Amino acid sequence: MSQTVTRALRLLAELGEGERSLDQLADLIGVHKTTVLRLLQTLEEGRFVYRDAQYRYHLGAGLFALSSLALEQRGIRRTAAPHLAELNAATGQTVHLAAYEGGEVVYIDKYDSRHPVRMYSRIGLRAALHNTAVAKVLLADLPPAERRRAVDGIEFTVHTPNTITSPHALLAELEQVAAQGWAQDHAEHEAFINCVAAPIRDASGRVVAAASISVPDVVLPYEQVLDLLPQLLACTRAISADAGLPARGSHS
């Protein structure tokens, strides 16, 4: 049964990359066409895939409903929404919301820039742990032992000349992020994108999400992206307050 589930999930992942024929899917997951067809028929019944008139398979509407429910279950997304929309309108730049889930950093909301240059990121996509500002913010809040385990598990893929390439360097930067209360991605994930991120805390004081502003260097140079930091920090403080974080100096 677990093998069947694994194969079905692989089919969905492949269809997430684009439409596929039965033959293509069978080749991609390495099993006989009859096995793939049975899986696809079951997924069709659940509306997780559909087959078009050319006998090519696509992701189905059932997944839209599930993805909407998954997003609704993240209360911080609802709390943050008006503040992130206001930040996006005020700056005109791409704004992300990300959370740490099961050892991964995942984008749970996005507000696009008003500029024609768009970012490839999308809701549900994972953020690299070693070279994105949102991931640095979220990792920096982990207890030291858990932070070390997370960093030890990272594959330090080099994306640009600025990418952090060692656990030691990342741990040092995470210490700095924890101390200063914000993080940056200075052309570390994509050579033409700079980003700043800040933490969102709930009533417990723990970081439950990270918000960021990302800007292509053709729109603003790095130094001017840093100038957006006060607006970002004001935004994350407001979200944290709405999420129950006590005001500084208040007593329970």
Side-chain angles (χ1 to χ4, degrees):
M1 181 60 71
S2 61
Q3 187 179 56
T4 301
V5 173
T6 299
R7 286 171 174 170
L9 291 173
R10 286 188 64 193
L11 288 174
L12 292 175
E14 288 295 343
L15 292 174
E17 299 297 322
E19 62 181 45
R20 300 282 190 267
S21 68
L22 176 61
D23 287 341
Q24 287 175 318
L25 290 169
D27 288 342
L28 286 165
I29 70 169
V31 297
H32 196 274
K33 282 195 294 185
T34 55
T35 301
V36 175
L37 184 59
R38 282 198 302 271
L39 290 170
L40 288 169
Q41 288 170 338
T42 301
L43 291 169
E44 274 189 281
E45 290 172 9
R47 298 172 60 246
F48 297 122
V49 305
Y50 80 91
R51 186 182 63 185
D52 63 25
Q54 285 74 46
Y55 293 90
R56 297 182 69 80
Y57 291 87
H58 309 251
L59 293 179
L63 288 171
F64 302 156
L66 276 182
S67 63
S68 296
L69 290 170
L71 290 171
E72 286 174 15
Q73 289 171 12
R74 283 151 180 80
I76 193 63
R77 182 176 186 264
R78 189 166 51 251
T79 302
H83 300 284
L84 297 179
E86 184 178 340
L87 181 66
N88 171 251
T91 63
Q93 309 302 338
T94 301
V95 172
H96 290 108
L97 181 69
Y100 187 70
E101 301 181 355
E104 298 177 335
V105 172
V106 181
Y107 293 112
I108 59 173
D109 213 347
K110 179 184 180 183
Y111 295 78
D112 278 314
S113 162
R114 70 168 70 109
H115 303 286
V117 180
R118 295 299 173 94
M119 297 185 62
Y120 80 96
S121 58
R122 62 179 184 272
I123 295 170
L125 195 69
R126 288 173 293 190
L129 294 180
H130 63 301
N131 60 8
T132 58
V134 286
K136 291 176 189 176
V137 164
L138 293 163
L139 291 177
D141 187 64
L142 295 177
E146 188 178 346
R147 185 193 303 174
R148 178 80 220 195
R149 282 195 300 272
V151 170
D152 284 343
I154 293 173
E155 183 178 339
F156 285 82
T157 305
V158 176
H159 291 105
T160 78
N162 289 355
T163 300
I164 293 172
T165 57
S166 73
H168 176 77
L170 180 57
L171 286 167
E173 179 148 347
L174 294 179
E175 289 284 354
Q176 181 180 347
V177 169
Q180 69 190 15
W182 59 276
Q184 64 178 328
D185 159 12
H186 184 192
E188 296 169 43
H189 187 253
E190 294 180 278
F192 59 94
I193 298 284
N194 292 300
C195 178
V196 287
I200 295 167
R201 302 178 186 273
D202 65 6
S204 72
R206 298 309 305 269
V207 174
V208 292
S212 68
I213 301 174
S214 302
V215 190
D217 56 14
V218 295
V219 175
L220 287 178
Y222 167 69
E223 293 75 17
Q224 289 184 36
V225 176
L226 292 182
D227 290 342
L228 299 174
L229 191 56
Q231 288 172 274
L232 174 64
L233 291 171
C235 175
T236 55
R237 282 195 295 267
I239 298 169
S240 297
D242 283 358
L245 183 69
R248 287 182 181 177
S250 66
H251 300 281
S252 56

